[in-house]
Amino acid sequence: MKLIYRKAEALDAPRIADLFLEMLRTIYNTDDVQGYEDGYLDKFFSTEQEDLIYVAEADGKIVAYLSVEVHRREGYIYLDDLSVTSAYRGQGIGTKLIKMAEEYASKVGIIPVVFHVEKSNIRAHQLYKRLGYQDNEDQGSRMRMAKELRKVK
Ligand SMILES: CC(C)(COP(=O)(O)OP(=O)(O)OC[C@H]1O[C@@H](n2cnc3c(N)ncnc32)[C@H](O)[C@@H]1OP(=O)(O)O)[C@@H](O)C(=O)NCCC(=O)NCCS
């Protein structure tokens, strides 16, 4: 299977929105989930902004994405949503997308990388720990995790 990793563009928005719903269904174990608000994804496709989405494509179809926000003023990179469609999980795709975001963070020179994980999402939590993320703040049902990167000169 050949995987292509690339930056998402506006045409990818409907598929990304579907993967977002799949992520919520998986995490919360219910079909009663709400998608993105209209226009929410637009900021990730604007060439004037630093926020972006990385996608993995297999057989011409997007099978995973990770959205990345650059919070320049606050000084951190925020990983917003990460979803790998069920048939493609456990093959290193999530890890690769996170590594791409980390490379991007290093390139723009902003550290740390921060995100949230549901504490009930034990396998994802373990994966992030393996990738060097540390529990940063217990926020009830969610844990904020963070990793300090080295700046690339
Ligand atoms: C969590 C997730 C993004 C990881 O991506 P991935 O491509 O499956 O992960 P990788 O192949 O790079 O790494 C495999 C590890 O992911 C973790 N993982 C979490 N959920 C998993 C799942 N449903 N299937 C397989 N691996 C999963 C495991 O720790 C696994 O390691 P193991 O094989 O030692 O158990 C992906 O499984 C997914 O989309 N899950 C559902 C939605 C979700 O939980 N999103 C994250 C929100 S914070």
Side-chain angles (χ1 to χ4, degrees):
M1 176 193 52
K2 191 167 179 282
L3 280 162
I4 295 168
Y5 292 91
R6 61 170 174 83
K7 256 169 45 171
E9 43 193 76
L11 279 175
D12 301 322
R15 177 64 184 145
I16 290 168
D18 281 351
L19 287 170
F20 176 64
L21 290 171
E22 184 180 347
M23 179 189 85
L24 295 180
R25 283 191 212 104
T26 310
I27 296 175
Y28 298 111
N29 203 18
T30 172
D31 284 337
D32 186 18
V33 292
Q34 281 232 307
Y36 288 127
E37 281 180 23
D38 277 355
Y40 174 77
L41 289 170
D42 293 353
K43 64 177 179 175
F44 295 105
F45 308 127
S46 156
T47 47
E48 272 133 52
Q49 293 206 32
E50 293 178 293
D51 300 344
L52 53 79
I53 292 177
Y54 288 118
V55 293
E57 209 176 273
D59 304 320
K61 189 166 182 181
I62 293 174
V63 296
Y65 80 99
L66 169 64
S67 46
V68 184
E69 293 176 353
V70 178
H71 292 262
R72 206 166 260 286
R73 214 174 325 133
E74 298 86 350
Y76 64 89
I77 298 286
Y78 187 71
L79 306 187
D80 193 20
D81 295 312
L82 171 62
S83 178
V84 180
T85 195
S86 59
Y88 288 83
R89 288 179 198 152
Q91 301 175 32
I93 296 174
T95 299
K96 169 75 180 171
L97 290 171
I98 291 171
K99 298 273 178 212
M100 288 172 75
E102 291 177 355
E103 272 169 36
Y104 181 60
S106 296
K107 205 175 84 187
V108 297
I110 298 181
I111 49 175
V113 176
V114 175
F115 60 89
H116 286 96
V117 63
E118 290 293 322
K119 285 195 279 184
S120 58
N121 199 349
I122 291 165
R123 291 183 71 187
H125 195 182
Q126 289 304 325
L127 169 66
Y128 305 143
K129 282 191 175 159
R130 276 210 305 273
L131 293 176
Y133 289 81
Q134 293 183 338
D135 291 349
N136 178 258
E137 191 177 291
D138 191 327
Q139 299 180 337
S141 62
R142 300 196 307 172
M143 181 66 77
R144 191 172 71 194
M145 301 188 79
K147 178 174 175 178
E148 298 285 338
L149 301 168
R150 287 224 207 100
K151 279 187 193 171
V152 176
K153 293 196 188 91

